[in-house]
Amino acid sequence: MNGYLRHNAAMPLLAESPALRALIDDRYAELVARCRAVGVPLHDDAGVAERIRRTILASDFAFDTWLRQPQLLAPQGLERLRSGNDAGTRIEAVRLVADETESLALLRRFRHAEALRLVFRDVNGLDQLSETLAATSTLYEALLGAALGWSEQALAARYGHSRDHDGALQRMVVVGFGKLGGSELNFSSDIDLVLAYPQGGQSDGSRSLDNSEYFVRLGRQLVRLLNEPTSDGICARVDLRLRPFGNAGRLALPFPAMEQYYQSEGRDWERYAWIKARPVAGDRHAGKQLQELLRPFVYRKYLDYTAFAGLREMKSLIDAEVARKDLADNLKLGPGGIREIEFVVQLTQLIRGGREPSLRVRGLLPALTACEARGHIGAARAKALREAYVVLRRVENRVQMLRDAQTHDIPDDALSRERIALGLGHASWSELAEVLSHHRAIVSEEFAAVLMPQGGRTASVPVADAVLWQEVCAGTSHAAAFEASGFAPGAEVAEALMKLPQAAAVRAMSAQSRERLDRLMPQLFIAARESTAPVPCLLRLCRLVLAVARRSSYLALLEEQPSARKRLAGLFAGSAFLAERVIAQPLLLDDVLDPRIDQLPLKRADISAEITRVLATLDEREAEAELERINEFKASIAFRLGLAFNDGRADAVATARRLAALAESVVLAVMALAERELIAQHGRLPEGSGFAVLGYGSLGGEELGFASDLDLVFVYDGKHAHAMSDGVRPLEGARWYQRLVQRVVNWLTVLTRAGRLYEVDTRLRPDGSKGLLVGSLDAFTAYQKSRAWTWEHQALLRARPVAGDAALTAELAEVRRQVLAVPRDRTAVLQEVSSMRQRWRAERDRSDARQFDLKQGHGGLLDIEFALQGLVLTYANEYPALLAITANAALIDACREAGLLDAGQAAVFTTAHAELLRRALACTLDLRSRIAPRDSELEQISAAVREVTGALGLAF
């Protein structure tokens, strides 16, 4: 089927029917005679005749233009037709004169000659489709520029130049929409324009005009130059109906009026239209300002699933037109046509473009590539849509090139169909029709899946569920009804649901949002009933509905996407912790649905790169906005990790390691942000930052939980302590670092609209809470070597640099190695480690006869951790490679390889560590403390751990 996509540059003319061959022969002979009659030399050697014949085969318009302008068949004319330079390089040669009639003729002759060049290059395989469409767009931009320039001069001669209230010169802004805006214009397309100007004011001539009238007259003159039929035809078909209020609206509006219209009156279809809009003539700089002014209307700040409703409305109007005008085979509007491909891509752009500027692309193919690159449209789907689009657009362009007609319908007569098929390299029309049918079927299927997913908005619901919700709204429902519906016990569910319609957020809903809620709630009943825990699931769903009641986009997501509802119900039934995260941050609903759920950035470098990319999408680099976006990013990745663990797609050890990598990347991003802000206020310190952050505990040991705090220690290079920063408000080095750390800790812990990043504990620094929040490397070294307790060296075993200056982190690593690698007495180490473990368990172990504390219990996670620390402290001098490892899982293997654990002991620790960590993470996801009911497996694991620690000489 893809044979159609082959390029026909070297393709010989296929066998024509006798009628077609006679047509080509006759027309070629007529052109030869026309050239002879007017004295134009036509050299038909070197393949020229073949190219002319191929052009005649494809286009009556080309033949007519050659008859009118035979000089285009002369060597110089043919060289112009072969030229790869677009019309923009030749428009300056068109010298428009004061006489309007002559200027009309000049513009039209230029358009026809350049359009002939487009046909000639396309049918002879000199241009790819994208080049043809881009060159067509450039042609009309050139014509617009020339016509607007002439119109401005003509109006200025009578009324002067337009100025704003401050006297500044103003020009019209011509905004191109549709395929002109996307630089993918059809050969004979009309051009959709909106005319605007920056501000009110008046012209400066002796016969002054108010700007509102001035720019209307200018617009009318512009349209006349392009659209007025003459003996030379027209230059461009101009459509101004996309302007505010359509045909009823003024021809040109100032920017403030445009902004007010779209904020108060703008409709969903206008958002789709503005995706491709761009300034194409006039004051392009002001045009970009207008685009920026209207960007919030087009691309919403949050994920916008209400775009589905606008798409459906447009599609229903198109379908009605297709039925009314019998347009089923229409290449653009018919089923499986070009518009459906555009809708699939533009829907993704509207939903996500507010948060992902990389999707704010105008052309269809570049936009499809952007959606594919971000994973929103899968590679296979993108390939199918891309191939179909190229096929449909090439056929559409050839249909229009045939007679320069603005049509998207395939001709009915056999001869025209033969010409189109042969011109595109097919042996017959039936062969091309089969290709078209194949691609249109694929597009129809893709579009239907997007617009109406199975179980989506149009899905029917059982009458009983609809009645149940109606009773809730009427205030007549009761617990027994919910119990009969599968929600037992029903009292709490009934109470929660009866309050829902009365909630202020629900009562304040628009009529459209309330209709959406009424359609959604019975679907949520079904989803909750089919989950593993119907009552908790429905209760949590009720709280979510309340949380998003003022954000219709989230209600739209749940209504439109059955896969999201099902996954959400499973999540709300199985994980109280993740459910609470979604209720608190509804933005996470997108993660529930996201098809890229398995494509998590799992390494620190990947996560850091993704944070950088996310921050780069912000329209303004401001600390508060960046911090909020970091919060959203952290919540999203942590939530996805929770989903992966909850679904069994990731084990506990990998999940904890990835959570630590996420925290490390967040610390790095916040530190960079704090440093940037501090430099802006106080300047830089000389010779690099000289600052580092050490991660201790679960962060350092790469074993972070979903709700873990961060143990952080901050160190700076003492050489900078007395240096002064170079800003307008300089600080001494020690104070500079103190401010930096305060800002980092504050931003990590502050509550934003997107939540809080982490709780931070800095008590593991030298001298604990009595010590300075940030200390010098010398002070850190001196403390660790002379005053630190054994338990502090145990803590140092899990410490590692997570952010900061590379040179300083290398020095810190060396200090850590020196401190930990000193020879130690085995008996003394084991005794101190055992003593500290006994003390911790006495103070913190919450185990009893029925429950086991997974972390603090005898034979729990901390027993494994302390045992490993005892081994490393004892033998690090003999096996220094042990010090390179901070993660318990990896340390078990390293101790086995060093012979400090035998194979059986290592296996016990590995199995116990993985299972206890799994249960601990599961407890967090269920909003329970890390205490589990005792069972045979748990008893067996803890007993085995106790046996190994005892054999190692540790008395825990």
Side-chain angles (χ1 to χ4, degrees), residues 811-881:
E811 289 187 70
L812 278 167
E814 177 59 22
V815 169
R816 175 179 174 274
R817 188 198 64 76
Q818 292 174 8
V819 169
L820 296 176
V822 298
R824 299 173 194 263
D825 179 72
R826 178 178 181 277
T827 302
V829 169
L830 297 183
Q831 183 178 350
E832 289 188 54
V833 171
S834 297
S835 174
M836 179 56 66
R837 182 69 195 99
Q838 291 168 13
R839 177 181 165 187
W840 274 31
R841 191 162 61 252
E843 293 174 354
R844 306 177 186 182
D845 187 0
R846 294 167 292 178
S847 303
D848 57 30
R850 293 181 296 105
Q851 298 184 113
F852 180 75
D853 189 324
L854 298 166
K855 182 176 181 180
Q856 296 285 351
H858 197 186
L861 284 167
L862 277 183
D863 280 12
I864 299 173
E865 183 177 316
F866 271 59
L868 293 171
Q869 291 171 354
L871 290 174
V872 176
L873 283 175
T874 301
Y875 295 104
N877 179 258
E878 187 177 348
Y879 301 103

Side-chain angles (χ1 to χ4, degrees), residues 403-640:
R403 298 183 179 95
D404 192 20
Q406 186 194 357
T407 180
H408 309 278
D409 293 316
I410 294 166
D412 292 328
D413 64 289
L415 183 60
S416 295
R417 291 187 170 194
E418 180 190 2
R419 293 173 69 182
I420 293 169
L422 293 185
L424 287 167
H426 287 272
S428 66
W429 169 254
S430 61
E431 181 180 297
L432 176 54
E434 185 181 350
V435 171
L436 282 172
S437 178
H438 167 74
H439 286 289
R440 295 187 72 153
I442 291 173
V443 172
S444 287
E445 184 177 342
E446 290 290 341
F447 181 72
V450 168
L451 188 66
M452 293 292 184
Q454 186 175 3
R457 182 181 185 221
T458 58
S460 60
V461 297
V463 173
D465 288 309
V467 170
L468 190 60
W469 174 242
Q470 291 168 5
E471 291 174 349
V472 167
C473 295
T476 59
S477 188
H478 47 80
F482 282 97
E483 289 175 358
S485 185
F487 299 98
E492 191 177 0
V493 169
E495 181 182 2
L497 278 164
M498 291 291 281
K499 291 178 180 178
L500 185 59
Q502 305 307 317
V506 174
R507 291 203 311 272
M509 278 181 166
S510 66
Q512 184 181 25
S513 293
R514 182 54 200 257
E515 290 173 6
R516 181 174 282 132
L517 177 67
D518 290 339
R519 292 192 298 266
L520 172 63
M521 288 308 298
Q523 296 282 8
L524 294 183
F525 292 165
I526 297 170
R529 185 187 302 116
E530 293 175 350
S531 74
T532 56
V535 170
C537 178
L538 187 54
L539 288 171
R540 291 163 186 160
L541 286 172
C542 285
R543 291 176 54 214
L544 175 65
V545 169
L546 272 176
V548 303
R550 298 183 191 277
R551 298 183 183 178
S552 61
S553 179
Y554 292 124
L555 294 176
L557 163 61
L558 295 174
E559 181 195 9
E560 300 284 358
Q561 300 296 317
S563 58
R565 281 200 306 271
K566 183 177 180 180
R567 189 169 178 83
L568 185 70
L571 180 68
F572 274 33
S575 175
F577 177 84
L578 294 179
E580 291 300 325
R581 297 280 69 74
V582 175
I583 293 168
Q585 295 177 264
L587 192 64
L588 294 174
L589 279 170
D590 182 56
D591 292 296
V592 179
L593 173 66
D594 200 327
R596 303 169 298 164
I597 196 69
D598 296 323
Q599 302 171 22
L600 281 167
L602 301 179
K603 297 179 181 178
R604 180 193 137 166
D606 296 334
I607 296 173
S608 293
E610 186 67 5
I611 288 181
T612 301
R613 189 200 65 78
V614 166
L615 293 180
T617 66
L618 288 170
D619 296 298
E620 295 181 8
R621 298 303 293 268
E622 192 269 329
E624 184 178 353
E626 290 187 55
L627 193 60
E628 185 176 337
R629 190 58 65 89
I630 293 171
N631 266 276
E632 291 171 352
F633 174 82
K634 179 256 180 180
S636 172
I637 298 297
F639 182 77
R640 290 173 180 234

Side-chain angles (χ1 to χ4, degrees), residues 50-107:
E50 183 181 339
R51 287 186 168 183
I52 294 173
R53 291 176 65 86
R54 185 179 285 117
T55 306
I56 294 171
L57 161 73
S59 176
D60 292 346
F61 162 79
F63 171 70
D64 292 338
T65 302
W66 267 323
L67 282 179
R68 287 172 173 266
Q69 301 185 51
Q71 68 273 16
L72 292 173
L73 286 167
Q76 187 176 1
L78 288 172
E79 187 59 33
R80 176 180 179 178
L81 298 184
R82 285 193 294 264
S83 171
N85 296 326
D86 60 43
T89 63
R90 287 179 291 277
I91 189 67
E92 295 299 327
V94 180
R95 304 292 183 186
L96 299 184
V97 296
D99 180 70
E100 184 184 55
T101 302
E102 180 61 23
S103 291
L104 288 168
L106 287 171
L107 286 171

Side-chain angles (χ1 to χ4, degrees), residues 708-859:
S708 295
D709 58 8
L710 303 184
D711 294 302
L712 301 178
V713 170
F714 303 96
V715 181
Y716 69 87
D717 187 339
K719 295 193 297 288
H720 296 164
H722 300 293
M724 299 298 293
S725 62
D726 61 5
V728 293
R729 296 163 57 197
L731 287 177
E732 190 179 43
R735 289 189 62 200
W736 195 93
Y737 289 120
Q738 189 77 13
R739 295 272 184 92
L740 177 62
V741 172
Q742 289 170 346
R743 194 163 297 193
V744 168
V745 172
N746 177 58
W747 282 351
L748 284 171
T749 58
V750 70
L751 186 62
T752 71
R753 287 183 297 180
R756 177 183 284 108
L757 286 169
Y758 295 99
E759 296 290 349
V760 173
D761 190 338
T762 61
R763 291 175 297 175
L764 288 176
R765 66 187 186 270
D767 292 317
S769 55
K770 297 177 183 178
L772 294 173
L773 192 59
V774 57
S776 69
L777 175 63
D778 292 340
F780 179 85
T781 303
Y783 180 86
Q784 293 292 344
K785 287 184 175 180
S786 61
R787 294 159 50 205
W789 297 83
T790 298
W791 69 264
E792 290 179 290
H793 287 170
Q794 285 182 248
L796 189 61
L797 281 169
R798 303 193 85 193
R800 62 187 176 90
V802 294
D805 181 82
L808 182 59
T809 57
E811 289 187 70
L812 278 167
E814 177 59 22
V815 169
R816 175 179 174 274
R817 188 198 64 76
Q818 292 174 8
V819 169
L820 296 176
V822 298
R824 299 173 194 263
D825 179 72
R826 178 178 181 277
T827 302
V829 169
L830 297 183
Q831 183 178 350
E832 289 188 54
V833 171
S834 297
S835 174
M836 179 56 66
R837 182 69 195 99
Q838 291 168 13
R839 177 181 165 187
W840 274 31
R841 191 162 61 252
E843 293 174 354
R844 306 177 186 182
D845 187 0
R846 294 167 292 178
S847 303
D848 57 30
R850 293 181 296 105
Q851 298 184 113
F852 180 75
D853 189 324
L854 298 166
K855 182 176 181 180
Q856 296 285 351
H858 197 186

Side-chain angles (χ1 to χ4, degrees), residues 100-101 104 108 147 150-151 218-230 235-236 238:
E100 184 184 55
T101 302
L104 288 168
R108 280 148 183 74
W150 190 94
S151 301
L218 180 60
R220 286 175 181 156
Q221 180 61 62
L222 172 66
V223 172
R224 172 176 163 76
L225 275 181
L226 297 173
N227 204 57
E228 184 82 10
T230 72
C235 190
V238 179

